[in-house]
Amino acid sequence: MTLRWARRSLILRLVGLSLLLLLIVQSAGFAVVRATIDRNARAQIARALDLDENVWRRLLEQNADKLRQGSALLAADFGFRSAVNSGDQETIQSVLENHGSRIGAAVTALLDTDLALRAVSLRDDSMDQFPATLRQVVPPLAAQPQGSRVAVMDGVPYQFVMVPMRAPVVIGWVLMGFPINQALADEMRQLLSVNVALVVTGADSTLQIPVSTLPPETLAVLKSQGVLSGELLTPEGTLLVRSSRLDSASGEVQALLLRSVDEVVAPYRQLQVLLAIITVAGVLLFAVGTGLMAQRLTTPLRSLLAATQRLSRGEYDVPLEHTGRNDEIGNLARSFDHMRVDIGTQQTEIRRLAYWDRLTGLPNRERFRDAVVQAVAGSTANGQALAVLTLDLDRFKHVNDVLGYAFGDRLLQAVAERLTQQMASPDDMVARLGGNEFALLLLRADAAAAHALAQRINQSFEQPIAFEDQTADLSAAIGFACWPGDAPDADTLLSRSEIAMYAAKRKLSGALQYDASLDSASALTLSLLTELRRAVEHHELRLFLQPKVSLHGQAGMAAEALVRWQHPQRGLVPPMQFIPFAEQTGFVRHLTLWIFEEVARLLADPRTLAMPLRVSVNLSTRDLLDPELSNRLAAILLRHGVPATAFCLEITESAIMDDPQRAEAMLNRLSEQGFKLSIDDFGTGYSSLAYLKRLPVDELKIDKSFVMGMETGEDDAMIVRSTIDLAHNLGLTVVAEGVETAAILERLRELACDEAQGYHMARPLPVDEFLDWQLRQGSVL
């Protein structure tokens, strides 16, 4: 929990990030300083070793000069020269020993002119290697008397010089040698604080260090590692080694000069320690300062967080803190406080608008639902019934399109006023659900009271509404549902009231009570929808054709395509039991495409190729408003190779008037494809011939109610006559459906009707029986 809080704490993250960056910078600085100090120390030691090497060589030269002077003094001694000339061997030996002892020479020798040894004085009688050493150093020294040579005897390096003895010609050579011993190394150590080690490499590559100023531990490391140059790592620290090779006659002799890196760096290390202490103190001060700054930053942020939590709970009346600050935090706090005030104002307005319709002043859908929920709860307690009515104005979209939205708004306000006037009880409610849809809640009312109110509303709408020079006729579809008989709860009651309203709109009934058969969501209709889908998939649908007969001998044959359902258990299902349901649920589009596919397959059948057959297919409102309808039909025509002219598409007036603009656009596309268009059930809708003149229709189909009424009423006959005359004047053909008797058929022929359809000629027939009927009629061309 603590770790999670630390990860989420802005203070800790700010302080931690700042300290991390500071430590990174300081660490990088320390690394750079350390590397620079080390580099400078090594450069300084290198320069010191250059000086040490020069001093070392100078000391060797001084020793050589000392030896040379002593040798010259001996060579110039008259008595010594006389002894040499006379061959007094005892005198020669005595002089060599005395003179060598006086000047500190380890070796004093006399050589003849042929460089052969005549006498020698050795300070150490155990110098067994002297004869061999003599043969190595004499020839080079004779060739260069001013030089010196280093030779190793018994593991000790010696420096030799040789001068000639003249009288006045060369009568011999004086050779002297001094050991390069610890005294010389100590002198270098005292003079320059540099360690010296003489390393002798024997013929067998073994190393000996006869002279050294190094401590025993360091000397042991040197012997074990055999480092003759570069760096030597010892327990006491790192030593830089410089090798200076000596002129050696026998063996390899090197003088190693060693200086400690740590001794040079030590003063700087103290400075680094002091800098580290200062850095730690700075980091602590920085952490404290950053923490205080972060605290000053996060305290108002916590206040803003608390304010947002209050706002999320709907508390808009608590002002924010820190609005008096003059920095960015103060600006943020003031802006946030202004937002709090604005949100509070908006929420107040939203709460007001959430339950009331701004245009009409009536309760809206949400407020109405709450009222219904409360009413159902109250009625459950007292056992009283209640009813909900839903009302939808007819042709309201058309009013908006023609007269404008301003007129439509005024019309809705007038409707709201009329509905309010019809309410008998102040406890009842009128609400606008949206668009042109209203709802009414009746308390303590049964189905009879609800139906009576619906009738009064329809009667009140019989009086047109006039605004200035514009008048609008009103009509509405009203559906109602009662509790508890029609629904178990408030939401279902509202839904079923709307279902009844839509059913009333389809059936052109003024008011309609909910019934389970109207509900596409009921168990019965859900089962029917499932079975209908299966019927398409399992080929249970059957195509039927009802012939259309020409009344004046026009060429060609025509028929209307109908669908029947051969149910495996119910047998042949009548169309009225599933076609309205398919229209209500939208499944009618699948049926339309199925019928069109089957008719196209029939027209491509070899049996019908010789027939001038034209088949009518009905289109529903949902088909007509499908933007892809023309493309779907074109695909079917292309698949079967059938022309569009072989089809007549029948559309009802109500399907066109539901959305005139979209319907007209689709009809134009279908007409351009070559389809013949027919208005079905003409005379039962709201259209007029003047409006239909704008549409690309070719045919009118008079509704069977008028045709069948011609035998009993002259009014229906007059309507049929007027419709035929007006249609012909507009260039349209006319089809009369519902011809049940020979008298009606003869009367239609007298009225110049073009085609007739009905049970008098033929009932709807399966495809094979239809083809046989056509053959019997002698219509085969």
Side-chain angles (χ1 to χ4, degrees):
M1 186 67 182
T2 303
L3 179 59
R4 184 181 302 174
W5 177 85
R7 289 177 178 174
R8 295 181 178 178
S9 173
L10 180 59
I11 295 179
L12 291 182
R13 281 187 289 171
L14 287 175
V15 174
L17 180 60
S18 302
L19 290 179
L20 178 62
L21 293 176
L22 180 61
L23 290 176
I24 291 174
V25 172
Q26 290 296 327
S27 299
F30 272 114
V32 171
V33 170
R34 186 180 184 86
T36 303
I37 291 175
D38 188 76
R39 185 173 59 253
N40 291 340
R42 293 174 184 275
Q44 180 180 344
I45 294 174
R47 291 192 297 270
L49 289 176
D50 291 338
L51 177 62
D52 297 338
E53 185 176 5
N54 292 333
V55 172
W56 171 255
R57 291 188 179 279
R58 184 61 180 165
L59 286 176
L60 291 178
E61 291 175 1
Q62 288 178 356
N63 281 341
D65 290 342
K66 179 181 178 182
L67 287 174
R68 199 174 292 112
Q69 291 174 3
S71 299
L73 182 61
L74 179 60
D77 184 83
F78 180 77
F80 184 65
R81 284 190 295 177
S82 298
V84 171
N85 285 330
S86 64
D88 187 353
Q89 192 66 27
E90 292 182 1
T91 303
I92 292 173
Q93 186 67 35
S94 175
V95 172
L96 291 176
E97 291 177 357
N98 293 332
H99 192 77
S101 176
R102 186 167 55 250
I103 65 174
V107 177
T108 307
L110 175 65
L111 285 73
D112 61 14
T113 56
D114 294 329
L115 303 179
L117 181 65
R118 290 182 60 181
V120 61
S121 172
L122 300 175
R123 188 172 59 188
D124 188 354
D125 293 337
S126 64
M127 293 183 180
D128 298 333
Q129 298 179 355
F130 178 71
T133 303
L134 187 65
R135 290 192 296 271
Q136 295 175 1
V137 300
V138 169
L141 290 175
Q144 191 179 1
Q146 298 300 321
S148 65
R149 296 291 290 178
V150 175
V152 179
M153 292 187 302
D154 298 328
V156 179
Y158 288 82
Q159 186 178 22
F160 290 92
V161 297
M162 190 172 69
V163 296
M165 180 183 296
R166 300 177 187 276
V169 296
V170 176
I171 61 174
W173 296 84
V174 177
L175 176 69
M176 287 190 176
F178 289 81
I180 303 175
N181 52 19
Q182 188 68 35
L184 185 61
D186 292 339
E187 185 180 356
M188 278 289 294
R189 177 65 179 167
Q190 294 175 1
L191 182 63
L192 298 176
S193 298
V194 61
N195 287 303
V196 179
L198 294 182
V199 179
V200 177
T201 305
D204 56 354
S205 299
T206 58
L207 297 180
Q208 295 182 358
I209 306 177
V211 177
S212 172
T213 61
L214 295 171
E217 297 82 1
T218 306
L219 182 60
V221 173
L222 177 61
K223 288 181 179 180
S224 63
Q225 296 184 5
V227 177
L228 301 182
S229 63
E231 294 186 1
L232 179 64
L233 301 179
T234 69
E236 291 77 17
T238 302
L239 299 178
L240 293 186
V241 182
R242 175 71 61 84
S243 176
S244 178
R245 190 181 300 275
L246 303 181
D247 294 333
S248 176
S250 62
E252 184 177 355
V253 181
Q254 298 181 67
L256 301 183
L257 305 176
L258 304 95
R259 280 191 176 271
S260 174
V261 176
D262 296 335
E263 291 179 0
V264 178
V265 173
Y268 298 101
R269 295 288 185 236
Q270 297 177 358
L271 181 61
Q272 283 185 300
V273 172
L274 180 59
L275 182 60
I277 295 173
I278 295 175
T279 300
V280 171
V283 168
L284 293 177
L285 291 175
F286 186 81
V288 173
T290 305
L292 294 176
M293 183 61 68
Q295 183 71 26
R296 178 172 171 80
L297 176 65
T298 55
T299 297
L301 292 181
R302 291 195 188 97
S303 176
L304 292 179
L305 176 61
T308 59
Q309 293 172 348
R310 290 196 299 270
L311 291 179
S312 66
R313 295 193 298 267
E315 301 174 7
Y316 304 105
D317 55 344
V318 180
L320 267 71
E321 302 176 354
H322 307 287
T323 56
R325 293 178 55 163
N326 295 323
D327 54 6
E328 290 80 358
I329 297 296
N331 294 335
L332 178 62
R334 285 188 291 273
S335 299
F336 208 89
D337 195 57
H338 292 159
M339 183 182 70
R340 173 190 65 82
V341 175
D342 293 341
I343 292 178
T345 303
Q346 293 173 6
Q347 287 297 317
T348 301
E349 180 67 14
I350 289 173
R351 281 193 293 270
R352 188 183 69 83
L353 297 177
Y355 296 103
W356 299 90
D357 178 60
R358 178 179 295 182
L359 178 64
T360 61
L362 296 176
N364 62 8
R365 181 184 293 272
E366 189 65 26
R367 177 71 183 88
F368 186 75
R369 178 188 176 278
D370 290 346
V372 174
V373 170
Q374 294 175 5
V376 168
S379 298
T380 302
N382 54 37
Q384 295 180 343
L386 60 89
V388 171
L389 291 81
T390 305
L391 177 150
D392 187 85
L393 297 178
D394 295 327
R395 303 180 304 282
F396 182 73
K397 185 178 185 302
H398 186 65
V399 171
N400 273 338
D401 294 340
V402 175
L403 300 179
Y405 288 96
F407 185 88
D409 290 344
R410 297 175 65 184
L411 181 62
L412 291 175
Q413 292 171 344
V415 170
E417 183 178 354
R418 288 196 180 184
L419 292 177
T420 304
Q421 294 173 354
Q422 298 300 322
M423 304 304 291
S425 172
D427 296 332
D428 298 337
M429 177 182 289
V430 180
R432 183 190 176 199
L433 303 184
N436 59 326
E437 188 174 347
F438 294 82
L440 300 91
L441 171 62
L442 301 183
L443 302 177
R444 297 175 295 279
D446 54 9
H451 189 270
L453 176 60
Q455 295 297 332
R456 293 199 303 272
I457 292 173
N458 281 328
Q459 292 175 3
S460 69
F461 282 171
E462 292 177 359
Q463 181 179 357
I465 295 179
F467 299 112
E468 298 174 356
D469 57 345
Q470 298 290 345
T471 301
D473 293 323
L474 287 179
S475 63
I478 303 175
F480 62 92
C482 299
W483 185 90
D486 295 333
D489 54 59
D491 288 327
T492 307
L493 183 63
L494 290 170
S495 174
R496 290 179 175 176
S497 175
E498 288 193 4
I499 291 172
M501 180 267 293
Y502 287 121
K505 198 172 188 67
R506 287 192 304 272
K507 296 182 178 181
L508 304 179
S509 174
L512 191 65
Q513 184 178 2
Y514 169 80
D515 184 83
S517 62
L518 306 175
D519 190 357
S520 61
S522 66
L524 175 63
T525 53
L526 283 177
S527 174
L528 182 60
L529 178 60
T530 302
E531 293 182 356
L532 193 55
R533 291 183 185 277
R534 187 186 63 189
V536 176
E537 296 172 356
H538 291 75
H539 309 290
E540 296 176 5
L541 300 181
R542 302 289 182 265
L543 178 65
F544 278 60
L545 297 170
Q546 186 174 24
K548 294 181 180 179
V549 177
S550 173
L551 300 182
H552 301 288
Q554 297 96 329
M557 296 175 289
E560 180 179 1
L562 303 170
V563 63
R564 297 293 185 266
W565 182 3
Q566 187 65 44
H567 195 279
Q569 284 83 32
R570 304 179 191 176
L572 197 63
V573 181
M576 290 307 297
Q577 290 188 10
F578 66 91
I579 293 297
F581 167 74
E583 291 180 348
Q584 180 182 355
T585 59
F587 194 78
V588 68
R589 289 188 295 181
H590 298 278
L591 294 180
T592 300
L593 294 177
W594 182 89
I595 295 173
F596 198 90
E597 184 91 36
E598 293 300 313
V599 172
R601 184 178 289 109
L602 173 64
L603 293 175
D605 192 299
R607 295 177 296 173
T608 61
L609 290 178
M611 298 181 181
L613 180 63
R614 184 183 73 251
V615 180
S616 298
V617 177
N618 289 280
L619 297 182
S620 69
T621 302
R622 293 181 183 270
D623 293 321
L624 200 58
L625 299 183
D626 181 5
E628 295 296 321
L629 176 64
S630 59
N631 296 331
R632 301 183 202 277
L633 300 185
I636 296 175
L637 295 178
L638 181 63
R639 186 159 54 247
H640 294 281
V642 178
T645 53
F647 286 84
C648 178
L649 303 181
E650 297 186 2
I651 310 100
T652 62
E653 290 182 86
S654 59
I656 297 175
M657 298 308 296
D658 278 349
D659 195 336
Q661 293 182 348
R662 290 175 62 186
E664 183 176 351
M666 178 55 69
L667 291 176
N668 285 326
R669 287 203 296 271
L670 294 173
S671 178
E672 291 171 0
Q673 287 180 261
F675 291 105
K676 182 179 180 180
L677 302 179
S678 174
I679 301 298
D680 194 11
D681 298 336
F682 182 76
T684 62
Y686 304 102
S687 64
S688 62
L689 288 175
Y691 175 72
L692 295 177
K693 185 178 180 181
R694 295 168 43 191
L695 302 177
V697 297
D698 306 286
E699 177 183 281
L700 290 184
K701 197 170 185 182
I702 303 176
D703 186 67
K704 62 182 179 181
S705 61
F706 300 115
V707 175
M708 296 174 66
M710 291 174 61
E711 283 189 315
T712 59
E714 191 61 30
D715 292 339
D716 289 332
M718 186 177 299
I719 292 174
V720 171
R721 180 188 300 112
S722 301
T723 301
I724 293 173
D725 292 342
L726 291 174
H728 285 166
N729 291 335
L730 293 174
L732 306 177
T733 60
V734 182
V735 178
E737 62 177 344
V739 178
E740 304 291 336
T741 63
I744 294 177
L745 180 63
E746 186 61 29
R747 186 73 180 272
L748 289 172
R749 183 178 285 113
E750 293 174 358
L751 296 177
C753 183
D754 299 294
E755 292 180 352
Q757 175 184 349
Y759 282 10
H760 177 67
M761 285 77 70
R763 293 176 176 272
L765 303 171
V767 172
D768 293 337
E769 295 182 17
F770 170 78
L771 295 177
D772 293 341
W773 184 88
Q774 289 288 355
L775 291 175
R776 290 195 302 270
Q777 297 298 315
S779 301
V780 178
L781 298 178

